Amino acid sequence: MSSTPENPRVVVIGAGIVGCSLADELTARGWTDITVLEQGPLPAPGGSTSHAPGLVFQTNPSKTLTTLARYTVEKFTSLDVDGVSCFHQVGGLELATTPERLAELHRRAGYAASWGVRGEIVGAARCKELWPLIDESLVLGGFHTPDDGLARALLASRAQMARACAQGARFLDRHTVTGIEREDGRVTGVVTDRGTFPADHVVSAAGFWGPVIGRMAGIDVPLQPLAHQYARTGPLPELSGATAEASKPILRFQDRDLYFREHTDRIGIGSYAHRPLPVDPFAVLPYDEARARSMDMPSSYPFTQEDWAPSWADCRDLMPGLRDAEIEAGFNGVFSFTPDGMPVLGESRWLRGFWLAEAVWVTHSAGVAKAVAEWMVDGRPSIDLHECDLTRFEQAQRSPSYVLERGAQQFVEVYDVIHPLQPMERPRPLRVSPFHARQQQLGAYFLEGGGWERPHWYEANAPLVDALGPLPARDAWSARHWSPVAAAEAKATREGVALYDMTPLRRLEVTGPGSLDFLDRMTSNNLRKKPGAVTYSLLLDASGGIRSDLTVARLASDRFQVGANSPADLDWLLRHAPADVHIRDITSGTCCVGVWGPLARDLVQPLTPDDFSHEAFGYFRAKETYIGHVPVTAMRLSYVGELGWELYTTADLGLRLWDTLWEAGRELGVIAAGRSAFNSLRLEKGYRAWGVDMTDEHDPFEAGVGFAVRMDRDDFVGKAALAGKGEATRRLTPLLLDDPAAVVLGKEPVYVDGLPAGYVTSASYGYTLGRCVAYAWLPAGLPTGTGVHIEYIGEKVPATVADEPLFDPKMTRIRR
């Protein structure tokens, strides 16, 4: 069949559950020239799919992963092979044996309500009813999800393979990929030991072999395979006479890093409690050689009894009936981890037409396949995938040692109770701003993001807490990675002046004769302003979804500095840039101090030869000048709702800039302030955070950033789609919690008239307002004053729809 734009040639590498699902999804969308290559024998080729125990728990703190899992359950439930369903919906049960885990299960129940998964917290007696083998006296409660269950991965692979073949796809086993052909930056074919297959698109769905395929294509795949123990008991008297594969919910005992499922009259047990067992993907044996060495398959390593012993003791404690049981069989199964535990999806910019669908577990397999198929055929997935985008990692996060260390830690923490602010412990520090030494001297409490050390507050400001008066007491969860010092720093910013390290925010330099036309076409606002103008604008996709938000400073006729969010922004712009536009990431070579507060002008004006008055240097303006001896680009911006400037300079002069500001600010009582105060202040002003409050699932008008869209100007990406939008059915809505002592953190469900109606995006205590501020996606049209409830760790917390901005609605504090 000859290739056409409507039916391009696609080669999928790997016929595990992801490759089979993707072939089915692509052919369902009309792309039928699909070849799936597999090095092992079909239908069980020996990768992770072939040994997967199939447990599917849909609920996840990530809305994206939950959405992917929900589709997987929906699709597999609709499939069967010879009358046997590809999904056995026995439900799921997660146990709590400690108060900390019970609180976590309440949070998980909140995620389920937020993301549309049925579930409820149940007592110990109900847990015993659902799983009679457990010792009820150990259990404090459980989280029961009736729609979870067992994915029969090999059956689902067969079913989707058959459907794809009926539409024209072909599956070829015993074909080992040996190379990727390319020409002029595009993939052109896949070389195997049995011939070459021309291709317009190649998708690596090779599972833990992903790094091997990636190397052939010249693409690094940040994925670390690790082995995971799975054992099966002999027949149990308590299950004698069982005929069904399983009748009880799949079970998780996360306090001991264990999970359980029935195998008719036996129990299968998986453990994450053992030491990480990394596997070199380049050393995994081929199928036949693995079989020759008495291994069931390449992904099945010998069972290490010494790692199993502590888990077996924990199993017998939970289920007394196992005390006389023996392990009949066991293996260490290999599967994939990434530095952040998320899949790696998308098309490479370095080799166009080469796609990754890697680090995908069975739980999310069909959902990932649907999203990638939409991406390939329609140009974008129908759901937000920024957490999974292959471009999300910084260069500093792509080294093999980093991927190994963080991947191993992800394995260790699979079942841990993880706070949303909890940073990885290693390797740190990795990236530090030029101000790091001074921050350490001030007692900075560092968290981490994108490899950067980011101060959240400074212990040097602890004496300021005494002047605040009593603060509401915090519960143990919201008090983690928080300090009352944040309240003092927020107050000092509102009343005096503070220095904020804004270095980790991404900075791009865009230059060249076509730079204005290019940026004007790629973004939503009007950039055709004189040099010195700064514009808040949006990167939209063709459907009008918000890919990112930017601040664009025009420093000269053909030179711009762009404040962006993630590596994906750079990748997106580079994909579309014409030859006369040059884009450079300058983040690592530069730094930034935010100088904010009513005394900001008093601090900076004596240090600069330029006029920093409001009349001479207005809001959203930029100027290249000096602060003391330091050349800076000064931008009159404020993300905290106060007078001030962002001051940029090169990294080598950063420390001098900080010291100059610090010394000059002593008489004004200047402080250094951290991200905790920053987040509180920005939410009081209603400033959105991309990736949290809004993503490409949302358009600018429903997200409350329609002011950054100029529909009256020339065409720009997303304009046509926005013009065709109807009335919004949802809105990003500000809420104020009624109780001055109540706090929520984000992702909690919001109830309107007693029913779940949306979810919180971001939240923080508003120290100026004396109330916690939460933003939530809710039905459009809720009047100001409407009462709602936010579910926080099992409690319904009353809140009220508010007008925004909540603080300084006339913007008088910024424009003075």
Side-chain angles (χ1 to χ4, degrees):
M1 182 182 295
S2 61
S3 171
T4 67
E6 296 77 22
N7 193 27
R9 297 166 299 187
V10 180
V11 174
V12 178
I13 301 172
I17 189 62
V18 178
C20 292
S21 298
L22 180 58
D24 182 47
E25 294 287 341
L26 286 171
T27 55
R29 287 164 175 78
W31 282 19
T32 57
D33 190 355
I34 312 293
T35 300
V36 183
L37 301 175
E38 173 55 58
Q39 63 181 342
L42 291 172
S48 300
T49 300
S50 300
H51 72 242
L55 284 74
V56 174
F57 287 88
Q58 298 171 84
T59 305
N60 192 283
S62 165
K63 179 175 180 286
T64 296
L65 287 188
T66 302
T67 303
L68 296 172
R70 286 179 59 195
Y71 180 78
T72 300
V73 168
E74 175 188 325
K75 184 176 187 181
F76 288 1
T77 302
S78 72
L79 299 174
D80 70 85
V81 175
D82 299 329
V84 179
S85 174
C86 294
F87 192 80
H88 191 22
Q89 207 155 41
V90 292
L93 179 64
E94 302 178 47
L95 300 178
T97 59
T98 66
E100 294 77 14
R101 180 66 61 179
L102 186 60
E104 173 70 359
L105 294 188
H106 277 287
R107 285 187 288 271
R108 289 182 62 76
Y111 300 143
S114 290
W115 316 143
V117 176
R118 289 201 303 156
E120 63 174 341
I121 298 296
V122 297
R126 177 60 175 152
C127 292
K128 179 72 171 179
E129 288 178 19
L130 292 166
W131 255 89
L133 278 70
I134 67 173
D135 182 352
E136 180 184 358
S137 68
L138 298 179
V139 178
L140 300 181
F143 176 43
H144 181 223
T145 47
D147 298 328
D148 289 338
L150 293 166
R152 298 181 171 114
L154 286 177
L155 280 188
S157 296
R158 286 175 56 192
Q160 294 177 101
M161 190 186 311
R163 294 205 317 191
C165 289
Q167 295 293 330
R170 59 176 175 167
F171 286 72
L172 304 177
D173 63 1
R174 299 291 189 174
H175 282 65
T176 299
V177 174
T178 59
I180 305 294
E181 292 189 332
R182 71 201 83 177
E183 185 176 337
D184 296 330
R186 282 204 64 90
V187 70
T188 58
V190 177
V191 183
T192 76
D193 59 350
R194 298 175 66 177
T196 298
F197 297 83
D200 302 300
H201 296 274
V202 173
V203 185
S204 177
F208 58 77
W209 283 286
V212 178
I213 302 301
R215 180 175 293 181
M216 295 178 193
I219 306 299
D220 65 308
V221 180
L223 175 163
Q224 176 60 52
L226 288 111
H228 157 61
Q229 290 203 301
Y230 191 78
R232 188 180 299 195
T233 69
L236 299 176
E238 293 87 347
L239 300 179
S240 63
T243 57
E245 176 190 3
S247 60
K248 302 173 184 60
I250 52 177
L251 182 69
R252 289 209 279 202
F253 181 25
Q254 290 142 303
D255 289 324
R256 291 295 183 269
D257 296 310
L258 294 166
Y259 64 80
F260 304 83
R261 60 153 294 180
E262 296 167 281
H263 292 279
T264 312
D265 62 349
R266 295 161 168 81
I267 292 180
I269 308 164
S271 172
Y272 292 99
H274 55 82
R275 62 195 167 96
L277 299 168
V279 172
D280 180 358
F282 294 89
V284 176
L285 298 176
Y287 186 92
D288 292 327
E289 189 173 341
R291 297 283 289 176
R293 297 193 187 187
S294 300
M295 295 166 59
D296 288 339
M297 59 190 80
S299 62
S300 178
Y301 277 49
F303 193 65
T304 49
Q305 187 63 46
E306 65 276 14
D307 292 310
W308 175 251
S311 290
W312 186 226
D314 290 332
C315 293
R316 289 168 157 176
D317 287 342
L318 180 67
M319 298 184 188
L322 295 180
R323 290 170 186 169
D324 296 324
E326 299 294 334
I327 295 300
E328 185 176 74
F331 66 95
N332 290 359
V334 183
F335 63 138
S336 303
F337 285 82
T338 58
D340 59 3
M342 302 294 286
V344 182
L345 312 176
E347 182 190 19
S348 168
R349 177 171 52 84
W350 301 104
L351 183 58
R352 300 294 180 90
F354 183 81
W355 295 77
L356 296 179
E358 297 291 10
V360 181
W361 293 7
V362 171
T363 299
H364 312 110
S365 54
V368 163
K370 177 189 177 189
V372 173
E374 291 171 337
W375 207 341
M376 296 175 71
V377 176
D378 304 327
R380 70 180 299 273
S382 59
I383 66 170
D384 167 48
L385 288 181
H386 83 273
E387 293 178 306
C388 309
D389 196 300
L390 62 86
T391 64
R392 70 187 182 272
F393 295 111
E394 304 282 349
Q395 193 62 34
Q397 298 173 305
R398 291 180 170 273
S399 70
S401 58
Y402 184 95
V403 173
L404 170 60
E405 192 163 11
R406 288 285 173 103
Q409 189 64 22
Q410 287 292 335
F411 176 92
V412 170
E413 294 180 352
V414 160
Y415 283 169
D416 286 1
V417 177
I418 303 294
H419 191 275
L421 292 176
Q422 182 173 323
M424 283 283 192
E425 295 180 0
R426 298 179 305 275
R428 290 181 63 195
L430 183 63
R431 307 175 78 188
V432 298
S433 81
F435 323 129
H436 188 253
R438 298 293 183 263
Q439 293 165 344
Q440 289 179 305
Q441 293 166 5
L442 293 169
Y445 183 86
F446 291 102
L447 297 181
E448 183 258 0
W452 288 99
E453 295 296 314
R454 306 177 75 151
H456 271 241
W457 68 83
Y458 295 85
E459 285 300 326
N461 296 323
L464 301 177
V465 175
D466 295 337
L468 294 176
L471 290 170
R474 288 216 172 193
D475 66 278
W477 185 248
S478 66
R480 288 194 194 181
H481 306 293
W482 174 85
S483 167
V485 173
E489 293 177 359
K491 184 174 187 289
T493 306
R494 291 278 188 240
E495 297 178 356
V497 61
L499 306 184
Y500 287 81
D501 181 2
M502 305 302 291
T503 300
L505 299 184
R506 184 165 305 277
R507 292 172 293 284
L508 310 177
E509 182 184 72
V510 182
T511 58
S515 53
L516 175 59
D517 289 342
F518 168 67
L519 288 172
D520 202 48
R521 184 177 72 256
M522 293 299 296
T523 67
S524 64
N525 213 334
N526 176 30
L527 303 185
R528 295 188 179 279
K529 303 171 183 176
K530 294 179 180 179
V534 182
T535 306
Y536 177 78
S537 194
L538 306 173
L539 279 182
L540 305 178
D541 61 24
S543 70
I546 305 170
R547 286 191 56 92
S548 188
D549 62 344
L550 312 173
T551 53
V552 183
R554 190 177 189 187
L555 302 179
S557 62
D558 58 356
R559 179 166 61 92
F560 295 81
Q561 182 172 308
V562 177
N565 284 297
S566 75
D569 296 343
L570 174 62
D571 185 84
W572 177 256
L573 292 172
L574 286 171
R575 285 175 187 267
H576 294 87
D580 62 349
V581 173
H582 310 287
I583 305 172
R584 188 166 63 99
D585 189 332
I586 61 172
T587 310
S588 298
T590 56
C591 59
C592 178
V593 182
V595 184
W596 291 314
L599 300 181
R601 184 175 286 115
D602 296 316
L603 174 54
V604 297
Q605 183 62 84
L607 300 174
T608 179
D610 282 284
D611 186 354
F612 271 46
S613 69
H614 181 65
E615 294 73 20
F617 197 158
Y619 192 51
F620 266 83
R621 299 292 299 172
K623 186 175 294 189
E624 293 180 299
T625 183
Y626 290 87
I627 296 293
H629 298 290
V630 180
V632 300
T633 299
M635 297 187 196
R636 179 120 180 246
L637 306 174
S638 175
Y639 206 53
V640 299
E642 296 292 336
L643 171 69
W645 289 264
E646 293 178 356
L647 303 175
Y648 298 88
T649 192
T650 52
D652 60 320
L653 290 167
L655 192 58
R656 182 60 177 263
L657 174 62
W658 181 279
D659 288 345
T660 299
L661 294 166
W662 188 260
E663 289 303 318
R666 285 183 183 275
E667 294 182 359
L668 300 171
V670 69
I671 68 161
R675 297 288 299 183
S676 187
F678 177 90
N679 201 44
S680 170
L681 297 169
R682 70 101 180 165
L683 279 169
E684 289 183 331
K685 284 297 294 179
Y687 294 148
R688 278 60 167 153
W690 184 85
V692 180
D693 298 314
M694 57 190 185
T695 69
D696 60 7
E697 288 186 358
H698 310 110
D699 73 52
F701 304 109
E702 61 189 8
V705 289
F707 63 87
V709 179
R710 288 289 300 272
M711 295 295 290
D712 58 346
R713 67 180 185 84
D714 291 341
D715 193 27
F716 57 88
V717 175
K719 180 181 178 181
L722 293 181
K725 292 275 186 183
E727 191 69 24
T729 59
R730 59 183 177 179
R731 297 282 184 189
L732 187 59
T733 305
L735 304 174
L736 277 177
L737 274 62
D738 295 352
D739 182 352
V743 174
V744 298
L745 300 181
K747 300 188 177 182
E748 298 89 355
V750 181
Y751 291 77
V752 179
D753 296 329
L755 298 174
Y759 59 91
V760 174
T761 56
S762 53
S764 180
Y765 200 85
Y767 301 108
T768 317
L769 302 173
R771 292 283 193 282
C772 183
V773 179
Y775 271 77
W777 281 103
L778 291 173
L782 292 179
T784 299
T786 299
V788 302
H789 287 85
I790 302 172
E791 185 177 333
Y792 178 71
I793 315 184
E795 299 293 329
K796 297 289 179 58
V797 180
T800 302
V801 174
D803 279 328
E804 62 174 341
L806 301 167
F807 177 79
D808 188 28
K810 295 184 179 180
M811 304 285 283
T812 56
R813 298 176 70 90
I814 293 176
R815 295 188 171 99
R816 60 180 174 182

